Amino acid sequence: MSTVDQTSKIPNNVDLHHDKRLQRALEQWQPNYLQWWMEMGPTDFQAKDVYLRTAISVDAEGWAHFDWVKMPDYRWGIFLADPVADRKIGFGDHKGQPAWQVVPGEHRNVLRRLIVTQGDTEPASVEQQRLLGHTAPSLYDLRNLFQVNVEEGRHLWAMVYLLHSQFGRDGREEAEELLQRRSGNPDKPRILGAFNAPVDNWLDFYMFTMFTDRDGKYQLLALAESGFDPLSRTTRFMLTEEAHHMFVGETGVERIVQRTAELMKQDKNEDVRNQGGVPLDMIQRYLNLWFALSLDLFGGEVSSNAASFFADGLKGRYKEDSYEDHTALEQHYKMTVPKDGTLVEEDVPLRNAMNEVLRDAYVDDCQRGVDRWNKRLAEAGISTRLRLPSKRFYRHIGLYADMPFDAEGKLLSQEEWQRRKGEWLPAADDRAYVATLQKPVHEPGKIANWIARPARGIKGLPFEYEYVRLD
Ligand code: BYC
């Protein structure tokens, strides 16, 4: 088990003090990071004590150490999962060769791009969520928001460590640029679509952490298979932190659904709007939006980039071990492809279909979450069910990009789409209504009217605990 150096400026388990050049470079980046955090991190709560978990080692006991922390004092550091002895590349054309400990020259540019794309999402999400603290439905939720935010900050550190340690001057420049781009800024936007969409209310936030963070899980799982061992080790450790982010989203939506069901039962017309709840059809529209935005993050269905990532051993499949064949040269993957105004089934060579293979594993995982929400509805005696829209709905990347499919996946005319899109996507009046619900509840033990209390608090503490000290 590697030990974590907690005493140095940058906590780490990579023996940073043995590499003075790297240590100096990262120590120079650190104040720029902190400046970014103060400018673009959660507004107005930086001086408050928050009950946060911090990693102090990478083992089961140490990775989740809870304590009172002011966010700017959070110990952002560099933590890699412990190395696997004699690790070999597990797939693609180099299968069976020793995993690379140093970035291979021939894959340098591609790896840098993958790492920058991954890294860019982390600060982007913090920027998207920076105002949410002002409208948190409870102190428990406020604390969870800040937990997610500081860990996304740490995930940026994880990628910046790789850029600084393996990519020389180019890597240092990329690390600076990660602090320069801004979510939603038309002049210097974040790289991927969903990370430029606003997250300015808690329904968007829970949908984001349910669906977009879950893309993060699958992308990290694919990168954890990488033959580039430092990338594999850093993403493996990130995955331990990621689980909580999806928990926040999945249980957040679940608690809204639960409260909506309660309020429906209290009204003879099952109307929840007049009682300050979120109607199920509105929840469905936000679900549709964030599912579609998150599907785009997997890239095109047919992708020569994805084929090369796999061939070169850089990015594998979810649970690559569970496959018998790791070359993916002979097989095909079935896809539904739009052609001349209809949809036809086509067999796509498996390597070119890797984005879709990962996306399909993700869709199954999302379905499991939706099933859980529907269970709450069934228990409450409500017959309406939530559903994932078709994978073709509202896509902007890939085979179905910008084509007018409805939520069932049926191709409409542009005219019908324009007329009916408000049935499937949040419209201005939905947004205006959700905005009216965004009022802070900062008293310990209290919760906003539109969401149910969580089943339990954090780390065995009750919901009533003062998770953020605001005075
Ligand atoms: N938006 O062959 P294609 C997370 C570009 S989330 C804009 O289809 P490829 C987190 C693409 O770059 C996980 N552009 O795609 C969650 C390419 O450009 P070039 C983040 C897009 O390359 C919550 C062109 O279109 N991690 O961690 O196979 C909170 C054609 O590309 C998009 C990663 O993304 C898009 N949606 O795959 C915090 C993993 N999609 O090369 C954090 C690293 C595609 O022609 N990234 N393009 O200029 C990757 O693995 C791949 O870059 C992608 C794209 C899967 C994103």
Side-chain angles (χ1 to χ4, degrees):
M1 179 67 53
S2 56
T3 50
V4 168
D5 178 356
Q6 283 292 339
T7 56
S8 66
K9 266 188 172 173
I10 302 170
N12 70 88
N13 71 341
V14 293
D15 289 335
L16 201 51
H17 60 282
H18 284 323
D19 187 341
K20 292 288 174 211
R21 247 175 93 106
L22 175 61
Q23 185 174 20
R24 257 198 314 277
L26 284 166
E27 284 179 3
Q28 275 172 16
W29 186 80
Q30 191 176 35
N32 299 346
Y33 169 80
L34 279 171
Q35 193 187 343
W36 166 83
W37 177 268
M38 296 309 285
E39 269 175 45
M40 296 311 297
T43 59
D44 299 320
F45 293 90
Q46 304 284 359
K48 306 298 179 194
D49 285 314
V50 187
Y51 189 65
L52 289 179
R53 97 182 161 186
T54 310
I56 55 169
S57 70
V58 295
D59 58 3
E61 279 93 68
W63 78 271
H65 171 80
F66 285 78
D67 207 349
W68 290 99
V69 184
K70 292 184 184 28
M71 285 184 277
D73 302 334
Y74 182 82
R75 300 284 283 149
W76 283 290
I78 297 160
F79 304 104
L80 269 58
D82 283 326
V84 173
D86 297 324
R87 183 165 174 262
K88 303 278 192 287
I89 299 169
F91 58 91
D93 297 342
H94 307 287
K95 183 176 159 22
Q97 295 173 16
W100 299 291
Q101 298 306 323
V102 175
V103 65
E106 68 274 33
H107 303 315
R108 195 172 191 275
N109 287 346
V110 169
L111 275 169
R112 193 184 66 202
R113 208 189 59 180
L114 280 175
I115 291 166
V116 167
T117 308
Q118 176 64 48
D120 190 70
T121 63
E122 316 290 359
S125 68
V126 175
E127 292 167 3
Q128 284 170 295
Q129 297 162 16
R130 65 195 292 267
L131 296 175
L132 286 175
H134 291 288
T135 54
S138 74
L139 283 185
Y140 164 91
D141 290 282
L142 186 63
R143 177 258 168 222
N144 281 346
L145 168 71
F146 294 155
Q147 183 71 60
V148 168
N149 291 160
V150 292
E151 284 175 354
E152 299 302 6
R154 207 205 66 74
H155 291 180
L156 171 60
W157 273 90
M159 292 300 121
V160 164
Y161 165 71
L162 293 179
L163 290 170
H164 271 231
S165 60
Q166 298 271 347
F167 295 88
R169 191 195 172 130
D170 299 353
R172 289 192 294 278
E173 283 173 10
E174 293 281 13
E176 281 306 319
E177 283 174 33
L178 284 168
L179 299 176
Q180 305 301 328
R181 285 186 287 273
R182 291 285 180 270
S183 174
N185 183 324
D187 297 328
K188 40 177 185 175
R190 291 294 174 181
I191 296 170
L192 297 174
F195 294 90
N196 289 301
V199 180
D200 51 14
N201 66 72
W202 283 74
L203 185 52
D204 278 323
F205 172 66
Y206 295 128
M207 291 294 178
F208 180 96
T209 37
M210 167 72 188
F211 291 112
T212 309
D213 275 278
R214 196 172 306 276
D215 163 54
K217 167 183 164 183
Y218 280 82
Q219 296 297 338
L220 292 174
L221 280 163
L223 296 175
E225 300 287 343
S226 183
F228 179 40
D229 204 44
L231 178 60
S232 166
R233 289 177 57 199
T234 201
T235 47
R236 269 190 284 140
F237 185 67
M238 289 160 78
L239 279 160
T240 55
E241 293 170 324
E242 200 65 38
H244 175 70
H245 306 189
M246 287 173 294
F247 165 87
V248 168
E250 189 167 327
T251 58
V253 177
E254 184 179 2
R255 288 158 53 211
I256 300 178
V257 169
Q258 216 177 313
R259 181 64 181 149
T260 297
E262 269 169 36
L263 293 172
M264 283 169 84
K265 287 283 158 199
Q266 286 171 24
D267 184 279
K268 64 177 182 335
N269 299 319
E270 295 196 335
D271 184 351
V272 297
R273 250 179 110 125
N274 65 4
Q275 303 177 81
V278 190
L280 286 179
D281 61 321
M282 210 180 281
I283 296 175
Q284 179 68 60
R285 287 192 285 279
Y286 280 79
L287 182 167
N288 292 345
L289 173 68
W290 283 103
F291 181 64
L293 291 175
S294 304
L295 289 180
D296 274 344
L297 296 173
F298 288 81
E301 283 73 10
V302 185
S303 164
S304 57
N305 284 345
S308 320
F309 299 158
F310 188 86
D312 296 338
L314 307 180
K315 187 177 173 190
R317 284 171 287 191
Y318 167 60
K319 293 194 177 158
E320 185 61 47
D321 269 358
S322 66
Y323 291 89
E324 254 166 49
D325 168 77
H326 299 286
T327 60
L329 274 172
E330 310 293 331
Q331 303 99 312
H332 288 77
Y333 203 70
K334 250 198 200 339
M335 280 188 208
T336 310
V337 177
K339 234 182 207 149
D340 308 325
T342 66
L343 294 165
V344 294
E345 297 269 291
E346 261 182 28
D347 281 329
V348 175
L350 185 55
R351 281 190 176 184
N352 291 75
M354 285 302 171
N355 286 343
E356 188 66 356
V357 171
L358 195 62
R359 185 167 17 236
D360 281 341
Y362 165 84
V363 171
D364 289 347
D365 197 12
C366 291
Q367 184 61 53
R368 190 200 39 73
V370 173
D371 290 346
R372 183 172 157 163
W373 301 339
N374 283 332
K375 227 166 135 193
R376 295 288 93 80
L377 291 173
E379 282 163 7
I382 305 281
S383 57
T384 310
R385 295 288 177 267
L386 295 166
R387 11 189 343 193
L388 294 176
S390 159
K391 284 193 293 179
R392 298 190 279 279
F393 173 74
Y394 198 54
R395 295 289 303 281
H396 295 94
I397 298 282
L399 286 177
Y400 315 113
D402 304 320
M403 295 176 76
F405 288 101
D406 71 7
E408 303 296 321
K410 185 170 148 248
L411 191 58
L412 308 178
S413 67
Q414 279 295 350
E415 180 278 322
E416 187 175 3
W417 164 257
Q418 285 304 335
R419 185 162 40 81
R420 295 183 56 199
K421 67 180 180 196
E423 289 174 35
W424 306 298
L425 290 170
D429 56 338
D430 292 329
R431 295 217 160 265
Y433 177 71
V434 170
T436 65
L437 306 179
Q438 307 302 302
K439 303 220 173 68
V441 178
H442 284 165
E443 234 179 294
K446 294 270 161 62
I447 185 117
N449 178 52
W450 51 269
I451 184 167
R453 286 161 59 121
R456 56 193 70 80
I458 303 293
K459 184 90 178 124
L461 294 168
F463 168 71
E464 290 77 10
Y465 193 66
E466 191 177 3
Y467 291 102
V468 185
R469 292 180 182 147
L470 293 175
D471 305 321

